[in-house]
């Protein structure tokens, strides 16, 4: 079976009150349209067409990496008109192909992001040349939706839009989700017969249902597992609701895999987890972004943000850390209040303490940088101890230079290492030094004015007026 998925995404989204086209608003840092596409893409033997209109340029630019064909609907004359743009393609010179007779056409909405693959598969399994598949849902409050009108035998007769509905039709709780699957040959026939004689003056895709019934095609309905799957985003309140639904699902998935979340309602994953150990404990307000890997027995403290990083086994990250593009070796302890900037690579059992910033630096096994330091463009060997307030001066205002601190070195507190500079193996730097030249192995190096004490010196006293 060959599937053609058509994602409708040409609508304006006025109620978002935004310059950004609605389908580019995000859930978990991923545009709504991308969520729909990613689900569709999991179907085998499937080509995806996306109908765009409002903000078409912005949408196609933002999502140019998608393996989909973009079809423009210049005027938004209704959902039926949107699908017609795809079926009319064969008559244009674009080189794109329209709907083929043998295609199973799946209609999705670009602003309904949480639809599940299983629901789509069930829907598609109901299609054949005698049957059209329609996804419906029963809503306590059906206002605004098209209603599913059934005959006395319980078979679907038609869909009536809210604005065209009679008082008694408005009482119906079963509504059209808009999502359907239908054989190409039939769809094309019905599309060519659509008209816009309704209250909104639009070409309604939903009118094909009545045509199918007239042609003695079965309309087979199925339902999603949860209502949230078929909820659309029309405003930012609905967007925030679906964000929470999505986050709760991800949280559940992590907990099922052996992660303790102190409060799943205060956890956000905006990206993917490439590999995940067990017995991971995550405190509140943690945000995982991009692609992360987390080993076993890891603890992550409150209010920590981790992006595109690899965290080894038995790592402890204390509260309020910001970690990006970093690798943290097994058994290391980070924070509280530490910042690991891109290209920070820490070996095993490294300690990075409070108010320490690391950038583009490697720190080998067993080294400690525990308080108030900036380490940038530096290679730190193993078992190095860097005292409080140490700063690598890597930037002269124009160029950046590297600092090398070899194994076993001890840097006294409040030192500045002016790069390029090398501190030799087991060297000791006296506290308060400004180091401008390479410091030899095993020796004490310090640059410090000699301390003097003045005997007989007296404090000034206030003059009498
Ligand atoms: C549509 C259905 C309604 C259903 C509801 C579910 C029709 C006539 N009605 O109503 O039965 O209950 O969805 O949410 O189909 N779009 C285009 N081009 C257009 C018009 C719409 O691409 O010319 C896209 C929109 O961007 C959106 C989707 O189609 O993603 C639905 O459009 P919308 O205007 O929200 O349809 P409703 O009137 O809500
Ligand atoms: Ca709508």
């Amino acid at each position: 079976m060959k599937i053609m998925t058509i994602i409708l995404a040409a609508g304006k989204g006025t109620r978002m009150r935004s310059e950004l086209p609605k389908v580019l608003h995000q859930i978990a840092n991923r545009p709504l349209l991308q969520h729909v596409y990613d689900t569709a893409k999991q179907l085998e033997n499937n080509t995806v067409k996306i109908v765009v209109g409002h903000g078409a340029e912005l949408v196609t630019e933002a999502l140019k990496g998608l393996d989909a064909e973009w079809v423009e609907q210049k005027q938004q004359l209704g959902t039926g008109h949107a699908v017609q743009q795809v079926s009319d393609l064969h008559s244009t010179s674009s080189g794109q192909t329209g709907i083929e007779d043998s295609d199973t056409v799946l209609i999705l909405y670009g602003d309904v992001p949480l639809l599940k693959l299983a629901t789509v598969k069930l829907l598609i399994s109901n299609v054949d040349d005698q049957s059209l598949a329609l996804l419906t849902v029963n809503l306590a409050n059906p206002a605004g939706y098209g209603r599913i009108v059934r005959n006395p035998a319980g078979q679907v007769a038609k869909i009536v839009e809210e604005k065209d509905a009679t008082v008694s039709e408005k009482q119906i709780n079963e509504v059209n989700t808009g999502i359907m699957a239908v054989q190409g040959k039939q769809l094309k026939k019905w599309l060519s017969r659509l008209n816009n004689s309704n209250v909104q003056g639009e070409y309604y895709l939903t009118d094909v249902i009545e045509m199918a019934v007239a042609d003695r095609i079965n309309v087979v309905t199925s339902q999603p597992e949860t209502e949230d799957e078929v909820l659309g985003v029309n405003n930012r309140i609905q967007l925030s609701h679906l964000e929470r639904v999505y986050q709760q699902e991800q949280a559940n998935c992590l907990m099922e895999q052996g992660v303790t979340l102190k409060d799943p309602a205060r956890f956000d994953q905006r990206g993917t987890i490439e590999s995940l150990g067990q017995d991971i404990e995550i405190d509140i307000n943690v945000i995982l972004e991009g692609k992360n890997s987390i080993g076993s027995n890891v603890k992550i403290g409150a209010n920590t943000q981790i992006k595109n990083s690899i965290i080894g086994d038995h790592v402890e990250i204390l509260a309020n850390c910001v970690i990006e593009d970093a690798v943290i070796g097994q058994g290391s302890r980070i924070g509280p209040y530490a910042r690991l900037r891109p290209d920070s690579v820490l070996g095993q059992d490294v300690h990075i303490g409070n108010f320490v910033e690391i950038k583009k630096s490697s720190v080998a096994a067993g080294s400690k940088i525990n308080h108030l330091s900036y380490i940038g463009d530096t290679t730190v060997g193993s078992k190095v101890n860097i005292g409080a307030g140490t700063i690598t001066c890597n930037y002269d205002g124009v160029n950046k230079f590297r600092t090398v601190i070899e194994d076993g070195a001890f840097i006294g507190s409040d030192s500045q290492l002016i790069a390029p500079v090398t501190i030799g193996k087991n060297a000791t730097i006296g506290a308060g030094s400004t180091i401008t030249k390479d410091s030899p192995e095993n020796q004490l190096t310090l640059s410090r004015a000699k301390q003097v004490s003045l005997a007989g010196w007296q404090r000034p006293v206030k003059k009498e007026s």
Side-chain angles (χ1 to χ4, degrees), residues 156-223:
V156 175
K158 62 174 178 176
I159 296 175
V160 52
E161 291 305 298
E162 162 106 2
K163 287 184 177 138
D164 301 294
T166 62
V167 174
S168 66
E169 284 168 340
K170 282 187 184 150
Q171 306 297 311
I172 300 171
N173 290 95
E174 188 185 9
V175 306
N176 174 32
T177 63
I179 292 154
M180 64 170 86
V182 48
Q183 215 199 31
K185 187 175 173 187
Q186 294 156 348
L187 178 65
K188 285 194 290 185
K189 180 177 66 183
W190 298 326
L191 284 175
S192 67
R193 287 197 232 145
L194 290 180
N195 65 57
N196 63 353
S197 48
N198 50 57
V199 172
Q200 302 189 80
E202 286 184 6
Y203 294 88
Y204 290 166
L205 181 61
T206 45
D207 284 350
V208 306
I209 302 300
E210 209 173 348
M211 296 180 194
V213 173
D215 285 351
R216 301 192 176 283
I217 298 293
N218 305 312
V219 177
V220 184
T221 57
S222 55
Q223 281 76 38

Side-chain angles (χ1 to χ4, degrees), residues 8-11 51 73 75-79 82 109-111 144-146 159 161 176-178 200 204-206 234:
L8 305 188
V51 180
Q73 183 193 21
Q75 278 182 295
Q76 283 68 57
L77 303 180
T79 49
Y109 285 4
D111 57 0
Y145 287 87
I159 296 175
E161 291 305 298
N176 174 32
T177 63
Q200 302 189 80
Y204 290 166
L205 181 61
T206 45
N234 295 306

